Amino acid sequence: SEPTIEADEVVVQDTSGSLFNDVSNPCYQYKGKYIITSLKSGLALIDQHRAHVRILFDQYITNIRQQRGASQQVLFPEIVEYTGGEVHEEICDSLALSLAKAAAIRPGKILSGEEMDNLLASLFSCQESNLTPDGKTIISKLTDEELEKRFK
């Protein structure tokens, strides 16, 4: 089981509103799939696609719950009624997850420094930043101690 990473553990450089813009704490992209950045206690390896899925899922769920979802006019509209709160919640979660997976950045997409900064800022503002909505790991942490052991 991966250790969880809290938002206050992220090393933040706040000189111009950007999360990681200081040269002493850059973000790196590895193989167009992972973002590597430093934490107070080590390094974080972040799956950029999974991170974006989490961010979008949270946004979609908020919009659905506030009934601000995007809609499309149809020629023959159907009225859909839900029975039971649990079924409704399951449908909303499933819909939000499907939309998030479809809209998230694809693995292999090269991101600019600003895009990585924005992605990480949005991820760490999520209530649950360590796992995707379907339970997949977003962040893998390599502690200072683990790093030191590798070089002994």
Side-chain angles (χ1 to χ4, degrees):
S1 129
E2 288 289 325
T4 59
I5 296 175
E6 303 300 325
D8 65 347
E9 191 174 0
V10 179
V11 179
V12 177
Q13 302 292 333
D14 192 17
T15 56
S16 70
S18 180
L19 186 61
F20 297 104
N21 67 344
D22 187 70
V23 177
S24 65
N25 189 37
C27 293
Y28 298 98
Q29 191 175 28
Y30 181 70
K31 295 192 176 185
K33 186 172 181 180
Y34 302 102
I35 298 171
I36 302 169
T37 192
S38 62
L39 302 170
K40 292 178 183 175
S41 60
L43 293 174
L45 298 124
I46 301 152
D47 183 305
Q48 69 187 34
H49 172 74
R50 290 180 181 178
H52 201 212
V53 168
R54 165 51 71 187
I55 293 161
L56 293 175
F57 175 83
D58 286 1
Q59 290 173 355
Y60 294 153
I61 283 294
T62 299
N63 289 344
I64 290 169
R65 288 185 181 145
Q66 295 175 354
Q67 298 179 349
R68 292 188 317 189
S71 64
Q72 180 178 346
Q73 297 296 323
V74 293
L75 189 56
F76 303 104
E78 289 185 45
I79 306 290
V80 178
E81 292 186 32
Y82 299 105
T83 56
E86 195 173 300
V87 172
H88 180 261
E89 191 69 26
E90 252 181 68
I91 291 170
C92 290
D93 285 355
S94 179
L95 176 62
L97 182 57
S98 294
L99 290 171
K101 284 181 175 181
I105 54 176
R106 294 283 159 231
K109 177 167 173 38
I110 304 301
L111 301 177
S112 69
E114 184 177 348
E115 288 171 321
M116 286 187 279
D117 289 349
N118 291 336
L119 187 70
L120 294 180
S122 296
L123 176 64
F124 287 116
S125 69
C126 292
Q127 262 188 318
E128 172 55 67
S129 61
N130 292 294
L131 298 172
T132 61
D134 53 353
K136 294 179 182 170
T137 301
I138 297 171
I139 303 170
S140 182
K141 182 177 171 182
L142 182 61
T143 65
D144 290 336
E145 294 79 29
E146 291 168 324
L147 195 55
E148 290 294 327
K149 284 180 189 176
R150 292 176 186 255
F151 289 100
K152 282 191 175 180

